[in-house]
Amino acid sequence: MIGWRRAVARAGLAIAAAVVVAGCDLRHSAVLDPKGPIALAERDLLFDAFYVMLIVVVPVIVLTLWFAWRYRASNTQAAYAPSWSESVRVDAVVWLIPALIVIALGVLLWRSTHKLDPYRPIEGAGTALEVQVVAQDWKWLFIYPEQGIASVNQLAFPAGRPVSLRITSDTVMNSFYVPQLAGQIYAMAGMQTRLQMLADQPGKFVGRNSQYSGSGYSDQHFEVVSLSQADYDAWVTRAKQAPARLDAGTYAALAAKSRRNPVAYYGGVEPGLYESIIARYSGPHGHHAHGGAAAPRR
């Protein structure tokens, strides 16, 4: 009977372990599979912080198991010494090690924060491609001011060339995030944030809004496509051939709430459209004034 119970208990533990391991499968995690220097530096920072914190976590786990085994009820040989009030060695371990870890993490984060400043230009092949990004309900608009084109739910650029994003929102707060290429940064109405991005090689990635923004939030994804220079030139040519133009009238229709928008292109864009979207929320005469001024550009 006892053997049967042990077999069942072992089988249960094996199943539980399999479920836990399956739930922790990180092989397909976008954060752990970077395709650009910014995402790679952020992944390395995550690992470095993890390793530093293991200095505390591992000894605590080991000592917990050792104490439980050594001072078990059946072990009558372990010394019982309840009368002690202070220990220099214990106090040193309890206070100095956490303090050193906090200092190490602080230095690590300080250096990384400056290194990964989203406003700081990054090096790559050629000058940075500027793209203006507008978060809407519930889609993303990408305006290419140099090419005079725009796309919805698709961000394309040449691999190896830096991309400089100017980001705002025409609705509530959103959060722009491409886990395999760049960090996360907020998009806010009447304000502008910036983010630098670069892909090491051609590929297709997923971008998303990581800030809850209403009922269509779960469908607010977009394609991120890094192309060879020839393919990117062909993409621009194809977008320019799109019959639709993006001006004040067509923009109002596009900005209306909608879900699961397919990829769309605009062959022409009204100059200054992006700035006018920000200006709508700025100053006392703005249509949707929030009482704040636009963020300074950097």
Side-chain angles (χ1 to χ4, degrees), residues 32-55:
L32 301 182
D33 185 26
K35 300 300 182 183
I38 301 298
L40 176 62
E42 293 179 342
R43 188 202 64 175
D44 291 344
L45 173 61
L46 177 67
F47 282 163
D48 290 343
F50 176 75
Y51 296 143
V52 170
M53 288 185 285
L54 284 181
I55 296 175

Side-chain angles (χ1 to χ4, degrees), residues 12-25:
L13 289 174
I15 294 174
V19 171
V20 171
V21 172
C24 297
D25 186 358

Side-chain angles (χ1 to χ4, degrees), residues 38-242:
I38 301 298
L40 176 62
E42 293 179 342
R43 188 202 64 175
D44 291 344
L45 173 61
L46 177 67
F47 282 163
D48 290 343
F50 176 75
Y51 296 143
V52 170
M53 288 185 285
L54 284 181
I55 296 175
V56 170
V57 173
V58 171
V60 167
I61 293 176
V62 172
L63 289 175
T64 299
L65 297 175
W66 184 78
F67 271 86
W69 176 81
R70 179 170 176 78
Y71 296 104
R72 64 191 185 278
S74 59
N75 183 17
T76 59
Q77 303 300 319
Y80 179 64
S83 301
W84 58 277
S85 59
E86 65 179 41
S87 170
V88 175
R89 288 184 297 177
V90 172
D91 284 344
V93 171
V94 170
W95 289 103
L96 288 181
I97 293 180
L100 293 175
I101 290 175
V102 170
I103 293 173
L105 288 176
V107 173
L108 184 65
L109 293 178
W110 173 266
R111 296 177 59 183
S112 299
T113 299
H114 288 277
K115 178 182 177 182
L116 298 174
D117 183 350
Y119 288 74
R120 184 177 182 179
I122 55 177
E123 296 181 355
T127 58
L129 173 67
E130 183 171 317
V131 181
Q132 299 165 342
V133 184
V134 182
Q136 300 176 332
D137 289 329
W138 287 274
K139 50 194 170 290
W140 292 88
L141 170 65
F142 302 98
I143 301 173
Y144 294 72
E146 298 173 8
Q147 291 75 17
I149 58 175
S151 62
V152 176
N153 284 341
Q154 187 179 72
L155 172 61
F157 51 85
R161 181 178 176 183
V163 182
S164 180
L165 302 170
R166 299 169 58 189
I167 304 171
T168 190
S169 172
D170 196 12
T171 177
V172 298
M173 179 184 289
N174 284 249
S175 181
F176 183 93
Y177 189 29
V178 184
Q180 287 186 277
L181 296 181
Q184 168 270 339
I185 196 164
Y186 290 111
M188 295 166 282
M191 301 184 182
Q192 174 180 271
T193 50
R194 303 204 66 152
L195 188 66
Q196 315 300 319
M197 189 166 64
L198 186 147
D200 290 331
Q201 57 191 359
K204 182 176 288 187
F205 315 99
V206 176
R208 65 191 63 183
N209 170 26
S210 59
Q211 171 79 23
Y212 179 70
S213 59
S215 60
Y217 156 77
S218 59
D219 298 318
Q220 198 173 349
H221 296 170
F222 59 94
E223 295 179 1
V224 182
V225 188
S226 63
L227 305 166
S228 64
Q229 185 61 51
D231 289 341
Y232 174 71
D233 293 339
W235 182 87
V236 172
T237 301
R238 187 168 61 253
K240 286 185 175 180
Q241 294 173 349

